[in-house]
C-alpha cells in the first residue's frame, strides 16, 4: 500500500519519447542540410532559426513536461524569456536610431 501511494506521478508512454527523439533527429538533419546545400542569405537564417525554435519547443513541451503542466506554471516559465527578447529587440531598434542620429548630426568623420 505504501508503494502505490508513493508513486502518484504521471507516466507517459515510451513511444512518445521515442517519437520526439526521432523528430529532433529529423529537425537536426534539416538544419545541417541548410548548410550542406549552401543556402545563403535571409532564407538560411530563417530556416536555421525555425528548426532551432521547433527543436526547443519539442524539448520544452515533452522533456520538461510543459505540455502537461498548469497554464499558470507555463506562463511563469515561458513569459519572462519572451519579455526579455522583446526588450532586447527594443534596445536594438533604439541603438540603430541613436547611431543614425549621431551620423546625421556629427557627420561621418
Amino acid at each position: 500500500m505504501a508503494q502505490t501511494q508513493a508513486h502518484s506521478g504521471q507516466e507517459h508512454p515510451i513511444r512518445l519519447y521515442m517519437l520526439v527523439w526521432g523528430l529532433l533527429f529529423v529537425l537536426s538533419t534539416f538544419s545541417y542540410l541548410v548548410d550542406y546545400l549552401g543556402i545563403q542569405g535571409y532564407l538560411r537564417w530563417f530556416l536555421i532559426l525555425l528548426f532551432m525554435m521547433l527543436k526547443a519547443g519539442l524539448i520544452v513541451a515533452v522533456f520538461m513536461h510543459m505540455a502537461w503542466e498548469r497554464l499558470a506554471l507555463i506562463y511563469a516559465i515561458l513569459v519572462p524569456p519572451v519579455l526579455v527578447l522583446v526588450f532586447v529587440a527594443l534596445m536594438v531598434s533604439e541603438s540603430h536610431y541613436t547611431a543614425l542620429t549621431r551620423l546625421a548630426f556629427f557627420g561621418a568623420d
Side-chain angles (χ1 to χ4, degrees):
M1 183 161 118
Q3 216 173 16
T4 59
Q5 289 177 351
H7 182 48
S8 63
Q10 297 177 353
E11 278 193 39
H12 306 293
I14 191 72
R15 181 176 178 259
L16 174 69
Y17 293 109
M18 298 306 283
L19 176 68
V20 170
W21 275 109
L23 286 173
L24 289 171
F25 179 77
V26 168
L27 289 172
S28 293
T29 302
F30 288 157
S31 181
Y32 289 122
L33 278 175
V34 169
D35 282 335
Y36 182 76
L37 295 175
I39 298 173
Q40 295 296 320
Y42 288 118
L43 179 61
R44 173 183 187 224
W45 291 109
F46 172 76
L47 289 173
I48 289 174
L49 290 174
L50 176 71
F51 294 137
M52 285 174 53
M53 294 299 287
L54 289 173
K55 289 190 294 186
L58 277 172
I59 290 168
V60 168
V62 176
F63 294 115
M64 291 180 66
H65 303 283
M66 285 292 136
W68 299 281
E69 293 295 338
R70 286 186 281 152
L71 196 57
L73 183 62
I74 292 171
Y75 285 154
I77 291 174
L78 297 180
V79 169
V82 170
L83 290 177
V84 167
L85 289 175
V86 168
F87 291 138
V88 166
L90 289 171
M91 288 187 288
V92 167
S93 173
E94 186 176 353
S95 71
H96 289 302
Y97 171 76
T98 302
L100 290 174
T101 304
R102 287 180 180 175
L103 285 174
F105 285 106
F106 298 123
D109 295 336

